Amino acid sequence: MRQNYSTYSDDKLIFILRSNNEESEAAFTEIYNRYSSKVHAYCLRVLNNLEEAEDIFQEVFIRFYQRVRADYPATNVPGFLIKIARNLCLNYKRDKMNTVSIEDNDVFVDSGKNYENSELLELITTALELIDFEYKEAFILREYDSLSYNEIAEICGITVTNAKSRVFRAKLKIKEILNPYLKDMANK
């Protein structure tokens, strides 16, 4: 009879994952099912490119599996996954810093959606690309991933006060960047 792993805590799943038996694959699958959408969304928002995000996303779960199997103390599984994603995204952005493809700047608008909402979403995405990574990251973790300031501080290796400050400054910078566009949109 197959176990219902969805009722298990993260700690229990990690314990099962570390045991070298037939249940470890099912435990990993449950962890993947719980957190894959959050990790994928984080990678996509930080990198702003689907193909790059997919590559990093896959690498996150490979590294997670390797680290957990090597007895790394994963007490906060979603935080640990986001931390791995963060480090991989930072490394990728650092390695790619001086190369910009024209294809990365294409704009796609879904005709089935409200054009103004699509335009506003595109403006916010563009504004996020213009602010420093430390602010962008904190904003994404807070506003898109709904993490607490404590979780953001842990992932980024900063204090809770600094996490709050980064989110606040990101909002100010985004507002500053978008202000002329929002005024223009209001006048239409």
Side-chain angles (χ1 to χ4, degrees):
M1 188 167 95
R2 189 174 188 281
Q3 295 285 338
N4 183 5
Y5 292 98
S6 64
T7 61
Y8 287 12
S9 69
D10 288 349
D11 292 336
K12 177 128 177 140
L13 290 171
I14 294 295
F15 178 78
I16 294 170
L17 180 60
R18 287 184 175 141
S19 63
N20 230 357
N21 60 29
E22 63 277 352
E23 291 182 316
S24 64
E25 183 178 334
F28 178 78
T29 301
E30 178 58 32
I31 289 171
Y32 179 87
N33 289 340
R34 282 184 191 177
Y35 302 113
S36 61
S37 61
K38 187 176 226 176
V39 172
H40 187 269
Y42 174 83
C43 293
L44 188 57
R45 286 185 188 107
V46 169
L47 297 174
N48 203 26
N49 180 298
L50 183 60
E51 286 181 32
E52 294 167 356
E54 292 283 334
D55 291 343
I56 298 296
F57 167 74
Q58 290 175 8
E59 185 66 25
V60 167
F61 280 94
I62 291 169
R63 298 241 179 132
F64 171 78
Y65 183 80
Q66 292 169 341
R67 297 291 299 272
V68 168
R69 293 297 298 238
D71 258 359
Y72 185 83
T75 55
N76 177 359
V77 173
F80 184 51
L81 286 165
I82 294 294
K83 193 170 205 172
I84 294 169
R86 173 186 187 260
N87 290 337
L88 289 171
C89 288
L90 281 172
N91 290 342
Y92 182 82
K93 286 180 87 75
R94 179 198 65 219
D95 294 344
K96 189 186 172 197
M97 189 175 291
N98 293 328
T99 60
V100 175
S101 171
I102 290 178
E103 295 168 1
D104 290 344
N105 295 317
D106 288 344
V107 176
F108 299 99
V109 176
D110 185 1
S111 60
K113 293 183 180 177
N114 184 334
Y115 179 72
E116 287 182 6
N117 288 340
S118 297
E119 186 178 6
L120 184 59
L121 184 59
E122 185 64 35
L123 287 171
I124 291 170
T125 303
T126 302
L128 275 173
E129 288 300 313
L130 296 174
I131 64 176
D132 292 338
F133 183 78
E134 63 188 17
Y135 303 124
K136 174 183 176 178
E137 177 183 42
F139 180 83
I140 288 170
L141 290 171
R142 180 71 180 173
E143 299 302 324
Y144 288 100
D145 295 331
S146 302
L147 295 183
S148 70
Y149 290 113
N150 289 336
E151 291 172 313
I152 295 169
E154 182 183 329
I155 290 168
C156 298
I158 57 177
T159 65
V160 174
T161 305
N162 199 342
K164 290 178 182 179
S165 175
R166 286 184 183 185
V167 172
F168 179 75
R169 287 182 182 166
K171 289 178 181 179
L172 286 178
K173 289 179 182 288
I174 291 169
K175 185 177 178 181
E176 181 182 313
I177 292 168
L178 294 182
N179 200 26
Y181 299 105
L182 294 175
K183 283 182 182 177
D184 188 48
M185 287 175 73
N187 291 333
K188 286 184 180 180

